[in-house]
């Protein structure tokens, strides 16, 4: 009898372990879309999001303000009670997806299902191995253009791989550069796919586009296509809707049972008002201390190997632009997102004008419209975000978080963007990022080149952190300087949005005037032959007849290079 019971226990344990190893099915899960029309609805949705809820819910777009779309999924067992509850409260909703599992299956193209392709494809959602193999292939083909840098290991010992494109030989560690990461949130698959599209644009464009070549020679891109490799693989193999990293579970007692949950939201783990700390007057907002919550901020700022690796790399090689790719909702987000109406000093003079220029270029490609503003103003407050940290602590001049397609309108499938949209999203996003890159080149490459003109070029090294490229020497993180945060009533100009939210209309007065940095966008009058003219002027070549002819505007002494 005892043996039989023992055997039963073993079998039960085996069954349980099998059950946890099985891929999560979302059969008949629903995606409910609600436009909260009043404060009562908003308060009710917030209580479901922030407090213990009787339903199994996953908020894809959390509640923030009246008029801000809320997307949530509900398990089939809870769907009818939730819907009854919403109806009883007079809350209008639509069921945007009736069977989430079906939507997950139709995210992949028919061809992918019928004949699962082997190897990497730019028009597909690829595995981590496929992505890394493609980066290695590109490196083999163009060893002088591409450098692969191992910046750290994850909880599950996966490598975090940065691809550096450009730079040339006469670059030093202070040279201007552009950082782009994607996939900090595991389930946002369009982000790594877009990062890889941009890798290809840069690599191929280097050979075919002289302007791009000139830019990349002096302003390299550092791209981390999958910032959360463990989460990404978990989302591909076990649970499509996984968001966090895979930090091992921490258990705690809750009433009469023990709860163990894995993972930290890496975009709440950066040291920018982490957990709402550092500012006692601000309530901890937009992140959770509950290990089971999707926005769990971790036990401390930079507690996670992934955020540590990114921080250490960026502190060693601080870029001039920081871009983090997410999905979804078609928003170009500017710091700061930890608190409403909080802006860096150059918000209106530099960050926002460039964001508007970039999103106009994006719209010109396929007509896709983006909203521009801070995450806190347009969506919800969230502390510990990487793009806020990049701007506020690291002082990166241009820092943005891009929420890619789709918009959360009636028919969008949220995180489940069909594979056929990967290339269009890549094309339009690249057009926008090119605008940022051009601006970085014209603002920051010229002083760098000037400084180097009289000096012997230094060979390129990547030794600061002992990344796998050269040595293994480890240096301590650079100390961070005091931060300037301008908390104004409003930014200097009205954010370009089509949102229906009811924030007060921005006035045109601001506390910003006194703190505006000289960084303004370059004058168009110098654009006659693109970046070559600016370079030639920097190198004092305007006395050459050919340069004068090609660069009449740039060579004009009035022209600000
Ligand atoms: O919540 C996030 O981390 C981002 N949205 S996502 O759906 N991709 O997870 C947005 C962060 C932007 N910042 C603020 N909203 N404050
Ligand atoms: Zn995200």
């Amino acid at each position: 009898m005892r043996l039989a019971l023992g055997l039963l226990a073993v079998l039960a344990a085996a069954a349980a372990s099998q059950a946890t190893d099985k891929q999560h099915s979302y059969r008949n899960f629903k995606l409910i879309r609600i436009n909260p029309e009043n404060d009562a609805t908003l308060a009710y949705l917030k209580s479901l999001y922030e407090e213990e809820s009787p339903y199994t819910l996953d908020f894809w777009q959390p509640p923030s303000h009246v008029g801000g779309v809320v997307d949530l999924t509900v398990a089939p067992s809870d769907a009818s009670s939730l819907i009854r509850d919403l109806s009883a409260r007079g809350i209008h909703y639509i069921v945007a997806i009736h069977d989430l599992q079906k939507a997950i299956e139709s995210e992949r193209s028919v061809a992918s299902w019928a004949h699962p392709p082997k190897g990497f494809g730019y028009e597909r959602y690829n595995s981590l191995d496929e992505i890394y193999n493609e980066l290695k292939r590109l490196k083999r083909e163009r060893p002088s253009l591409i450098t692969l840098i191992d910046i750290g290991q994850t909880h599950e010992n996966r490598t975090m791989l940065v691809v550096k494109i450009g730079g040339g030989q006469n670059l030093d560690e202070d040279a201007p550069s552009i950082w782009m990461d994607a996939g900090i949130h595991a389930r946002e698959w369009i982000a790594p796919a877009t990062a890889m599209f941009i890798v290809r644009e840069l690599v191929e464009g280097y050979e075919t586009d002289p302007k791009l070549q000139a830019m990349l020679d002096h302003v390299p891109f550092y791209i981390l296509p999958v910032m959360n490799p463990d989460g990404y693989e978990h989302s591909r193999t076990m649970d499509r809707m996984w968001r966090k990293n895979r930090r091992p579970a921490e258990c705690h007692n809750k009433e009469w049972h023990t709860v163990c949950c894995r993972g930290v939201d890496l975009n709440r783990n950066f040291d920018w008002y982490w957990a709402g700390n550092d500012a006692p007057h601000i309530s901890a907002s937009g992140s959770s201390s509950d290990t089971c919550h999707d926005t769990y901020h971790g036990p401390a700022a930079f507690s996670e190997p992934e955020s540590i690796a990114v921080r250490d790399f960026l502190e060693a090689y601080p870029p001039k632009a920081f871009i983090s790719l997410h999905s979804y909702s078609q928003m170009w987000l500017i710091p700061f997102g930890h608190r409403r109406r909080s802006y860096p000093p150059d918000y209106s003079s530099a960050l926002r004008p460039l964001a508007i220029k970039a999103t106009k270029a994006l719209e010109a490609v396929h007509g896709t419209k983006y909203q521009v503003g801070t995450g806190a103003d347009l969506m919800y407050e969230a502390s510990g975000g990487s793009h806020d940290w990049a701007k506020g602590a690291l002082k990166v001049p241009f820092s943005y978080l891009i929420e890619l397609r789709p918009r959360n309108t009636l028919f969008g499938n949220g995180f489940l963007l069909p594979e056929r949209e990967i290339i269009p999203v890549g094309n339009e996003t690249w057009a926008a990022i090119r605008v940022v890159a051009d601006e970085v080149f014209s603002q920051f490459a010229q002083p760098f080149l000037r400084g180097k003109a009289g000096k012997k070029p230094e060979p390129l090294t990547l030794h600061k952190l002992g990344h796998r490229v050269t040595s293994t020497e480890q240096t301590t993180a650079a100390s961070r300087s005091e931060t300037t945060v301008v908390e104004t009533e409003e930014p200097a100009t009205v954010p370009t949005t089509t949102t229906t939210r009811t924030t007060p209309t921005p006035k045109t007065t601001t506390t910003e005037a006194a703190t505006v940095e000289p960084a303004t966008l370059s004058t168009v009058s110098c654009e006659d032959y693109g970046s070559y003219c600016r370079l030639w002027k920097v190198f004092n070549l305007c006395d050459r007849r050919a340069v004068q002819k090609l660069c009449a505007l740039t060579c004009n002494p009035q022209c600000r290079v």
Side-chain angles (χ1 to χ4, degrees), residues 49 60-62 184-185 187-188 243 265 267-268 286 295 325-329 333-334 336-339 374-383 385 387-388 401-403 415:
Y49 178 60
W60 287 11
Q61 293 287 341
I184 190 171
H185 289 141
R187 62 192 174 186
E188 299 165 9
R243 167 184 168 95
D265 182 347
N267 206 34
R268 301 291 182 278
T295 62
L325 299 179
H326 289 243
S327 72
Y328 60 99
S329 58
L333 301 180
I334 308 171
F336 292 113
H338 68 283
R339 195 187 180 191
T374 75
D377 287 351
L378 295 181
M379 307 170 99
Y380 43 84
E381 296 178 338
S383 48
H387 79 305
D388 279 356
L401 183 157
I402 308 176
E403 296 277 10
F415 300 113

Side-chain angles (χ1 to χ4, degrees), residues 85-127:
D85 199 0
L86 294 175
S87 308
R89 290 166 190 270
I91 298 173
H92 298 125
Y93 64 89
I94 58 160
V95 182
I97 299 178
H98 285 270
D99 181 358
L100 195 51
Q101 189 60 34
K102 216 184 243 168
I104 289 172
E105 283 154 18
S106 47
E107 177 184 36
R108 319 298 294 273
S109 68
V110 182
S112 295
W113 280 110
H115 309 284
K118 282 209 169 63
F120 182 90
Y122 281 94
E123 69 301 334
R124 286 201 297 276
Y125 294 125
N126 300 281
S127 70

Side-chain angles (χ1 to χ4, degrees), residues 166-181:
Q169 290 300 300
N170 57 346
L171 188 71
D172 68 26
E173 291 130 353
D174 302 321
S177 65
I178 295 170
W179 168 271
M180 189 168 77
D181 62 75

Side-chain angles (χ1 to χ4, degrees), residues 49-63:
Y49 178 60
E50 285 158 14
E51 292 150 32
E52 204 94 319
S53 140
Y55 311 118
T56 306
L57 303 177
D58 175 10
F59 281 82
W60 287 11
Q61 293 287 341

Side-chain angles (χ1 to χ4, degrees), residues 2-23:
R2 214 182 249 180
L3 187 69
L5 275 179
L7 193 63
L8 266 180
V10 171
L11 287 175
S17 98
Q18 259 179 17
T20 50
D21 285 337
K22 233 177 81 195
Q23 190 160 13

Side-chain angles (χ1 to χ4, degrees), residues 295-443:
T295 62
Y296 174 47
H297 48 51
F302 290 122
S303 58
E304 301 308 294
E306 297 88 353
S307 46
I308 290 171
V310 169
R311 176 200 63 191
D312 289 354
F313 186 83
L314 291 175
E315 283 182 344
Y317 303 95
K320 296 298 179 204
F322 170 99
I323 296 165
S324 190
L325 299 179
H326 289 243
S327 72
Y328 60 99
S329 58
Q330 292 175 204
M331 288 180 186
W332 191 286
L333 301 180
I334 308 171
F336 292 113
H338 68 283
R339 195 187 180 191
R340 292 220 159 98
R341 295 185 210 154
S342 175
Y343 313 98
D346 55 349
Y347 179 89
S348 299
S349 58
L351 282 156
R352 194 166 169 277
L354 186 60
I356 288 170
K357 199 173 171 193
T359 48
K360 276 193 181 142
L362 188 153
E363 187 178 346
V365 178
H366 294 297
T368 309
K369 287 191 190 307
Y370 267 62
Q371 292 173 268
V372 174
T374 75
D377 287 351
L378 295 181
M379 307 170 99
Y380 43 84
E381 296 178 338
S383 48
S386 67
H387 79 305
D388 279 356
W389 172 84
K391 179 67 189 173
L394 199 60
K395 308 283 185 216
V396 175
F398 295 107
S399 178
Y400 299 114
L401 183 157
I402 308 176
E403 296 277 10
L404 298 166
R405 290 195 204 178
R407 207 169 195 156
N408 40 10
T409 48
L410 216 53
F411 301 111
N413 268 9
F415 300 113
L416 307 172
L417 192 72
E419 279 184 331
R420 63 175 177 278
E421 293 198 44
I422 293 175
I423 301 298
V425 169
N427 272 317
E428 66 192 18
T429 311
W430 165 234
I433 286 173
R434 176 94 197 238
V435 169
V436 177
D438 285 345
E439 188 55 35
V440 168
F441 180 66
S442 53
Q443 268 194 36

